């Protein structure tokens, strides 16, 4: 049962353009969402997060949008840079004091120069 | 400050053997979690420790176990290894249990079972 889904395995964009990575979830008990970036042979690196009480969080070139009614979140990267090429994971946390991250399957982003 | 350190980076074991993986969290971090990453299943939660106590456990068989020491360092053990245990095992640390302050991941231990 995939509670967090990233339906696009891959995405290719041109340098300078916007990258939009999508994530859907099924469990309405999730109340905190995180995005991680992962390069080969390295562990995931935390990018940005959002609480379920908000609908937008911005940090530099990265913005995460949350649509609770649709159980959908997206990560926008503007402008995209070749160094952004990596696998991006969406993850969710349930309410309460649990640190169990539920990850999506990941989306491989390629930013072409 | 130093990041999350996992040792060893690579490991090859034979079916039926057991293995112990080590994780040293960021200094001051008291929560340590373990994840398994495989091509088919993605990143899956194994367990979380805080102050030497297991706080959460994922859906893995009892062959997978862990512990945390008083200095917050953690080990995970897999007994009676199976081919399907071949994976990247990732450790993550955080200041507190719950994850809302973000987890910092190590580079992982690549386990190959032959």
């Amino acid at each position: 049962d995939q509670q967090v889904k990233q339906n696009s395995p891959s995405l290719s964009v041109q340098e300078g353009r916007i990258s939009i990575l999508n994530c859907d979830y099924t469990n309405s008990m999730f109340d905190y969402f995180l995005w991680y970036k992962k390069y080969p042979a390295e562990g995931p690196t935390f990018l940005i997060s959002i609480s379920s009480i908000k609908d937008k969080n911005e940090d530099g070139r990265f913005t995460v949008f949350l649509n609770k009614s649709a159980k959908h979140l997206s990560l926008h990267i503007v402008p995209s840079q070749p160094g952004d090429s990596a696998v991006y994971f969406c993850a969710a946390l349930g309410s309460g004091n649990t640190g169990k991250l539920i990850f999506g399957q990941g989306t491989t982003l390629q930013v072409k120069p | 400050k130093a990041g999350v350190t996992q040792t060893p980076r690579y490991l090859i074991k034979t079916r039926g053997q057991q293995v112990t993986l080590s994780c040293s969290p960021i200094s001051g971090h008291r929560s340590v979690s373990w994840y398994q990453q495989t091509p088919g299943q993605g990143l899956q939660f194994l367990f979380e420790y805080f102050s030497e106590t297991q706080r959460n456990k994922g859906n893995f068989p009892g062959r997978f176990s862990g512990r945390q020491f008083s200095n917050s360092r953690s080990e995970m053990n897999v007994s009676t290894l199976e081919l399907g245990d071949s994976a990247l095992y990732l450790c993550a640390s955080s200041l507190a249990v719950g994850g809302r302050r973000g987890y910092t991941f190590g580079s992982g231990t690549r386990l190959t079972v032959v």
Side-chain angles (χ1 to χ4, degrees):
Chain A
D1 178 24
Q2 194 76 22
Q3 297 186 73
V4 178
K5 299 178 185 179
Q6 293 176 257
N7 292 317
S8 298
S10 63
L11 175 67
S12 181
V13 300
Q14 208 66 37
E15 180 179 6
R17 305 295 290 268
I18 183 172
S19 294
I20 301 177
L21 297 104
N22 294 303
C23 178
D24 296 295
Y25 61 97
T26 57
N27 191 338
S28 58
M29 297 302 291
F30 290 147
D31 70 348
Y32 202 78
F33 303 90
L34 307 91
W35 283 93
Y36 281 85
K37 177 170 75 172
K38 188 179 186 298
Y39 294 116
E42 294 183 14
T45 301
F46 171 73
L47 275 176
I48 192 168
S49 61
I50 188 167
S51 165
S52 62
I53 62 173
K54 296 187 175 182
D55 55 18
K56 177 183 174 181
N57 189 26
E58 192 172 356
D59 184 2
R61 298 186 297 116
F62 302 92
T63 303
V64 56
F65 296 91
L66 175 62
N67 182 333
K68 282 185 66 179
S69 60
K71 293 191 178 67
H72 176 84
L73 62 156
S74 60
L75 174 68
H76 293 210
I77 307 174
V78 184
S80 301
Q81 299 172 354
D84 295 329
S85 297
V87 180
Y88 288 78
F89 290 95
C90 166
L93 279 169
S95 58
N97 210 20
T98 171
K100 179 180 178 180
L101 284 167
I102 307 296
F103 282 91
Q105 293 292 90
T107 297
T108 300
L109 172 66
Q110 182 185 27
V111 180
K112 298 179 180 177
Chain B
K1 57 185 178 182
V4 178
T5 304
Q6 290 189 246
T7 56
R9 286 297 307 272
Y10 302 93
L11 206 49
I12 299 176
K13 288 285 188 179
T14 305
R15 270 184 305 174
Q17 286 187 312
Q18 74 158 13
V19 67
T20 299
L21 311 181
S22 179
C23 172
S24 293
I26 290 174
S27 179
H29 283 195
R30 297 171 63 193
S31 171
V32 173
S33 298
W34 288 89
Y35 290 82
Q36 180 196 64
Q37 185 181 22
T38 59
Q41 299 297 319
L43 277 154
Q44 292 191 296
F45 173 81
L46 280 156
F47 23 66
E48 178 183 26
Y49 286 87
F50 183 80
S51 293
E52 303 177 65
T53 301
Q54 188 180 90
R55 294 303 182 103
N56 293 287
K57 191 175 190 304
N59 297 323
F60 279 82
R63 301 185 296 107
F64 291 81
S65 62
R67 59 178 176 169
Q68 186 180 32
F69 302 95
S70 58
N71 61 358
S72 295
R73 190 177 72 83
S74 177
E75 288 181 348
M76 68 162 281
N77 184 276
V78 188
S79 62
T80 320
L81 284 165
E82 301 177 359
L83 295 179
D85 296 333
S86 295
L88 179 66
Y89 289 88
L90 291 159
C91 166
S93 76
S94 179
L95 276 169
V97 71
R100 277 141 186 82
R101 291 192 174 192
Y103 283 97
T104 302
F105 282 82
S107 297
T109 293
R110 171 73 62 183
L111 172 66
T112 302
V113 182
V114 297

